Amino acid sequence: MSVTPPFASFDPGDDGSPGRRRSRFAKVPLRLILPNLVTLLALCSGLTGIRMALEGRWEFAVGAVLLAAVLDALDGRVARLLKGTSKFGAELDSLADFVNFGVTPALMLYVWLLDEARSLGWIAALAYAICAALRLARFNAALDDPDKPAWSVHFFTGVPAPAGALTVLMPIYLEFLGVLPHWPELAPPVALYTVCIGFLMISRLPTYSGKKVGTRVRRDLVLPLFVLAVLLVALTVSYPYEMLAIATLAYLASIPFALRSYRAHARADAIGHPLPENSPDEDEDDTLTDDVQPDPSADRKPD
């Protein structure tokens, strides 16, 4: 004897039509899958960093966070290049960023030294992770702000999560460089530094975004950039802690310059005379071949 269920099955969004059911099994373009695969690889790298920290393999732990940051910078560019951006990818990227650059650095620092401060060290790790979550939530909420000026694309509000993760690990770099001894008495200062970086992430301080860096490259700079990129990779592989320490100090030193540049843009925008930036036409000129010259009349303004 068959038993009739008390409630009929219901699938949200399913009107029962055969066409709607067939759409569930429609093929997804590869251009939508590749950016999410890069994000998942970054998440795997961040989680592996936690494992390496628990095993005391700090070189691999730091390298895992660095690799996650590189992949995080690539997934958005891959999505825009392939025109594969999606709401799902944006949500996945945000969740992966919280794990990679919020949870992983906090646990690494706690396992490394903050546990010597006991509850104080754990509170500092929690504060940093919470600041990373708030930073990402604010960034996602600000994406749909229609009132942002065009020049604001060159700045972040606060330190972004990947930069915050690599910056907060500065004490580990210094220990392996022989600058900072591994003393339990240094746990409270490291905890204070961790909280300070967390507050920089949720602060209103403008920082350089670098989103437009590399979108257009002058023809005469292509080969030097190739050489520079190879040198940077080789130096980072050969001298990881030295390069990470230098990059961290340079990034922190750039914040006052970003603040000054931001205020200059804001003042110019307030008086109705925005600072000049490269126009799309000028950017396109850089991609012209040697035997094609731009039209001289293109830069002329109408009378």
Side-chain angles (χ1 to χ4, degrees):
M1 184 178 75
S2 61
V3 179
T4 303
F7 302 102
S9 61
F10 173 72
D11 186 5
D14 186 7
D15 58 2
S17 62
R20 177 62 63 85
R21 285 194 292 268
R22 283 196 299 268
S23 65
R24 299 181 199 168
F25 304 99
K27 296 181 179 179
V28 179
L30 186 62
R31 61 183 175 83
L32 295 178
I33 298 176
L34 286 178
N36 295 323
L37 285 179
V38 177
T39 303
L40 290 176
L41 288 175
L43 180 58
C44 292
S45 182
L47 292 173
T48 302
I50 298 177
R51 175 194 169 185
M52 296 295 103
L54 294 175
E55 295 178 356
R57 302 161 68 181
W58 296 106
E59 296 87 351
F60 294 100
V62 173
V65 175
L66 178 59
L67 178 59
V70 173
L71 292 175
D72 177 71
L74 290 178
D75 61 1
R77 294 179 182 270
V78 171
R80 289 188 292 271
L81 180 64
L82 300 179
K83 297 181 179 179
T85 57
S86 64
K87 182 67 175 177
F88 174 84
E91 296 297 333
L92 178 63
D93 182 70
S94 183
L95 292 173
D97 285 353
F98 172 63
V99 175
N100 296 337
F101 311 123
V103 176
T104 297
L107 291 179
M108 286 175 59
L109 287 171
Y110 184 78
V111 173
W112 172 67
L113 185 64
L114 291 183
D115 61 333
E116 299 289 349
R118 301 189 180 277
S119 296
L120 179 62
W122 181 243
I123 291 172
L126 284 178
Y128 172 82
I130 290 172
C131 288
L134 294 175
R135 167 71 178 80
L136 292 167
R138 184 181 65 185
F139 176 79
N140 292 338
L143 287 177
D144 300 326
D145 185 4
D147 299 326
K148 292 191 300 183
W151 52 264
S152 65
V153 71
H154 299 288
F155 301 94
F156 284 127
T157 302
V159 173
L166 294 174
T167 302
V168 80
L169 296 177
M170 180 71 165
I172 297 180
Y173 313 153
L174 296 180
E175 179 188 327
F176 281 90
L177 291 176
V179 177
L180 185 70
H182 193 92
W183 292 344
E185 293 79 11
L186 293 177
V190 172
L192 179 61
Y193 173 79
T194 303
V195 173
C196 289
I197 298 300
F199 276 105
L200 281 178
M201 295 171 67
I202 62 174
S203 70
R204 305 295 299 180
L205 284 174
T207 58
Y208 290 120
S209 70
K211 286 183 177 181
K212 296 298 183 180
V213 175
T215 54
R216 295 287 182 181
V217 180
R218 285 170 40 189
R219 180 176 296 275
D220 59 323
L221 296 179
V222 172
L223 294 182
L225 280 178
F226 283 156
V227 176
L228 180 61
V230 172
L231 287 176
L232 287 177
V233 173
L235 288 172
T236 303
V237 172
S238 303
Y239 307 99
Y241 295 113
E242 290 85 351
M243 292 297 295
L244 287 171
I246 292 173
T248 299
L249 294 175
Y251 181 78
L252 292 175
S254 72
I255 294 179
F257 296 98
L259 177 60
R260 185 176 65 176
S261 178
Y262 182 91
R263 288 177 174 175
H265 278 282
R267 285 194 301 266
D269 194 51
I271 62 177
H273 296 285
L275 297 180
E277 297 182 16
N278 289 335
S279 65
D281 291 338
E282 291 172 347
D283 288 337
E284 291 294 335
D285 291 345
D286 294 335
T287 64
L288 296 175
T289 56
D290 294 336
D291 56 339
V292 179
Q293 298 298 328
D295 183 5
S297 63
D299 294 332
R300 295 176 184 170
K301 295 180 181 180
D303 295 335

